[in-house]
Amino acid sequence: MADNLIGEHESSIVDSAKEKITESFQEDDSSSSDSDSKPIPKKTFPPPPKRNTAHSASWKDKPVHDLLGGGKAADIFLWRNKKKSASVLLFSTIVWALFEMIEYHLLSLICHILILVLGIHFLWSNTLNLFYRCPQFPQVALEEDTVLQIATVVRIEINNAMEDLREIASGKDLKKFLTVIAFLWIVSIAGSCCNLLTLIYICFVLLHTVPVLYEQHKEKADVLLEKGEAELKKQFEVFHEKVLSKVPSRQFSKKIA
C-alpha cells in the first residue's frame, strides 16, 4: 500500500509539472502570436520645417530705426541722443579736416598720439605724484572675448557678402544683377572725382542727415519713391524689350549645341 501511495504521489507530481510546462508554452505561443499579429510601429520623423512662402513686408512699412539695424548705430544716425550724434559727427569732421584740408598723414598722427600718451603717463607717474596723491594711471587692455566677438562678427559679415555676390553673379535675378552693376558704376564715377576718405565722409554725413529727414517727411518721401520706382520699372521693361529679349536664351543655345 505504501508503494502504491508513493507511486501515485510521484505520478501526480509529474502530471502537475507537465501541466505547468504546457501552460508556459501556450502563454509563450499566445504572446508570440499577438506580437506577430500587431503591426510593427514605424519610426516617425518630424516633418521638415516649412519654408516661409509669404512675402516679407515692404521696407516702406518698416520703421526707419529697424531699417538701419535697430541698434546703437541707428540711435546715433537718427539723433536719438543729440550729444552722442553731434560728438560722432564732429569727430569724423575733425578727422576728415586733418587728412584732407590740413593734409595730415596717418603715420604722423599715430606717432603724435603716442607721444602725447607717453608724455601724459610720464608726468602722471613722476611729477604729479610728488605734489598730489593721484590715482594710478588707468590701464588699457583688450579682452580676449571682445576681440573674438569682433572677429566673429566680421567673419560672418564677409561670408554673407560673398554669398550675396555669388547669388547675384549666378544670374538667377537679372534685375538685381543689373542694379548692382549700376550701383558699382556710380560708385566708380564718384571715386574718380574724390578720394576714398572724402567719399566715406560724404556717406557718413548722408547717414546723419537723410534718415532723419526721411523719418520726418515719410509720407511725402514715399510718394516720390513710388513714382521713381514706377519710372525705373518702365525703363527696365523698355531695356528688356530692346536689348535683353534679343539675347539668345540658354534653351536656344542648348538646341544649337
Side-chain angles (χ1 to χ4, degrees), residues 226-237:
E226 287 177 359
K227 291 181 180 179
E229 187 178 359
E231 186 65 26
L232 286 175
K233 286 182 179 179
K234 289 181 181 179
Q235 296 297 329
F236 181 77
E237 289 176 358

Side-chain angles (χ1 to χ4, degrees), residues 77-112:
F77 292 143
L78 292 175
W79 295 78
R80 295 288 190 263
N81 191 340
K82 294 183 179 180
K83 291 182 179 180
K84 287 184 179 180
S85 301
S87 60
V88 170
L89 186 59
L90 180 62
F91 176 76
S92 61
T93 304
I94 291 172
V95 172
W96 175 78
L98 285 174
F99 286 105
E100 293 299 322
M101 299 179 67
I102 306 176
E103 294 183 354
Y104 212 61
H105 297 286
L106 180 62
L107 184 60
S108 301
L109 180 63
I110 293 172
C111 291
H112 291 165

Side-chain angles (χ1 to χ4, degrees), residues 88-201:
V88 170
L89 186 59
L90 180 62
F91 176 76
S92 61
T93 304
I94 291 172
V95 172
W96 175 78
L98 285 174
F99 286 105
E100 293 299 322
M101 299 179 67
I102 306 176
E103 294 183 354
Y104 212 61
H105 297 286
L106 180 62
L107 184 60
S108 301
L109 180 63
I110 293 172
C111 291
H112 291 165
I113 290 173
L114 290 175
I115 290 170
L116 182 63
V117 171
L118 291 174
I120 292 173
H121 190 276
F122 179 82
L123 292 174
W124 189 292
S125 302
N126 297 288
T127 305
L128 295 177
N129 284 327
L130 295 176
F131 304 99
Y132 304 100
R133 292 183 179 179
C134 298
Q136 293 184 356
F137 195 81
Q139 295 181 356
V140 179
L142 292 175
E143 295 182 358
E144 184 179 359
D145 295 337
T146 304
V147 176
L148 292 176
Q149 287 177 1
I150 294 172
T152 303
V153 171
V154 171
R155 181 182 64 83
I156 292 171
E157 293 297 329
I158 291 174
N159 289 336
N160 291 334
M162 296 296 290
E163 184 66 22
D164 292 337
L165 290 175
R166 190 182 69 83
E167 288 293 328
I168 292 169
S170 63
K172 296 179 181 179
D173 192 347
L174 183 60
K175 186 176 179 181
K176 185 183 291 185
F177 174 76
L178 295 175
T179 303
V180 173
I181 294 297
F183 175 75
L184 293 175
W185 181 64
I186 293 170
V187 171
S188 66
I189 294 174
S192 62
C193 298
C194 58
N195 56 15
L196 179 61
L197 182 61
T198 304
L199 186 61
I200 292 172
Y201 176 70

